[in-house]
Amino acid sequence: GENVEQHPSTLSVQEGDSAVIKCTYSDSASNYFPWYKQELGKRPQLIIDIRSNVGEKKDQRIAVTLNKTAKHFSLHITETQPEDSAVYFCAARPTGSARQLTFGSGTQLTVLP
Amino acid sequence: EAGVAQSPRYKIIEKRQSVAFWCNPISGHATLYWYQQILGQGPKLLIQFQNNGVVDDSQLPKDRFSAERLKGVDSTLKIQPAKLEDSAVYLCASSLEWYAQETQYFGPGTRLLVL
């Protein structure tokens, strides 16, 4: 099955700096890659996703890049703010019938004021 | 639109007891998922329903866990008997369909502590 590895497990940045979180996946059939943000004690919420037919997607301060050849994708947050502090999870899903979403282990992002 | 609802939010039980969790997905969502999220880890899929049929339950510990979605809407997840290692947050999610790379929307979760 799919295996998703996520790095780093913790990340601290100064407010205004950029943050980058990286994930690798194992199943070359994966073609859907969402990113979820989970604040303490709250539900995971989708912040951005990318499909394998594009290499990059941007939404205001967040962007995701995908390298299918290398089987890795990254989340980029620019001009970080304290409210960006949360745990971020990447996930991957292979195409085909009944394929499940496999999550990475999460990155605790702390934005220092 | 209303989100995914779950209850209870918190549950404390002793090992070997039984417990049940309830989930109400977003209206019109055919696919429902139950995940287990152990502290410090990403969510792990336990079972996936399409309407009232099971699509994937390969990671469900069937000797103690069971789930149903009888009318294709609400779902319950049961653990009987519970073990210490079942302490986790149980998340329910729903999506319109499973095959079209649909976004999964999560509920607030049920935090289970087994003593």
Side-chain angles (χ1 to χ4, degrees):
Chain A
E2 176 65 278
N3 181 50
V4 177
E5 294 193 356
Q6 183 172 346
H7 301 280
S9 57
T10 60
L11 178 61
S12 293
V13 298
Q14 289 294 136
E15 183 176 357
D17 287 351
S18 295
V20 180
I21 302 170
K22 300 181 179 181
C23 289
T24 60
Y25 61 98
S26 60
D27 191 338
S28 57
S30 287
N31 64 349
Y32 174 60
F33 308 92
W35 285 88
Y36 283 83
K37 175 183 180 182
Q38 188 174 28
E39 296 178 50
L40 188 63
K42 298 195 175 178
R43 71 188 75 192
Q45 291 197 302
L46 180 74
I47 55 171
I48 194 167
D49 57 15
I50 191 167
R51 287 159 173 78
S52 60
N53 57 340
V54 297
E56 184 174 358
K57 183 177 179 180
K58 191 173 181 179
D59 182 4
Q60 298 184 335
R61 296 187 297 108
I62 60 173
V64 57
T65 58
L66 171 64
N67 183 327
K68 284 222 75 180
T69 303
K71 290 192 281 189
H72 67 71
F73 55 112
S74 301
L75 177 71
H76 304 253
I77 306 174
T78 59
E79 301 172 21
T80 54
Q81 301 167 4
E83 53 265 37
D84 294 330
S85 296
V87 178
Y88 291 80
F89 292 98
C90 63
R93 183 174 191 171
T95 189
S97 63
R99 298 298 189 104
Q100 61 178 265
L101 200 58
T102 300
F103 284 83
S105 54
T107 296
Q108 172 68 62
L109 173 65
T110 302
V111 180
L112 304 168
Chain B
E1 65 182 7
V4 177
Q6 288 188 249
S7 66
R9 293 295 312 277
Y10 305 92
K11 191 74 177 178
I12 301 174
I13 62 172
E14 294 188 348
K15 60 183 180 183
R16 292 187 289 272
Q17 287 186 324
S18 63
V19 64
F21 313 128
W22 174 82
C23 173
N24 181 242
I26 293 173
S27 177
H29 280 196
T31 308
L32 185 147
Y33 313 81
W34 281 103
Y35 288 89
Q36 180 191 58
Q37 186 176 23
I38 293 172
L39 188 64
Q41 298 181 19
K44 184 187 84 171
L45 182 71
L46 293 175
I47 190 167
Q48 176 181 335
F49 291 95
Q50 176 73 9
N51 296 310
N52 61 349
V54 176
V55 175
D56 184 356
D57 64 356
S58 58
Q59 298 192 88
L60 187 73
K62 298 181 186 63
D63 58 333
R64 297 183 301 105
F65 286 65
S66 64
E68 59 183 14
R69 194 184 183 199
L70 294 175
K71 297 183 179 179
V73 181
D74 292 7
S75 176
T76 55
L77 176 70
K78 297 179 182 177
I79 307 175
Q80 182 179 10
K83 292 185 175 182
L84 297 177
E85 58 261 36
D86 298 333
S87 295
V89 175
Y90 291 85
L91 293 163
C92 179
S94 70
S95 64
L96 276 172
E97 298 287 354
W98 59 262
Y99 53 77
Q101 300 168 351
E102 291 285 348
T103 299
Q104 293 186 23
Y105 297 89
F106 284 85
T110 296
R111 191 174 299 273
L112 174 67
L113 179 60
V114 182
L115 302 175

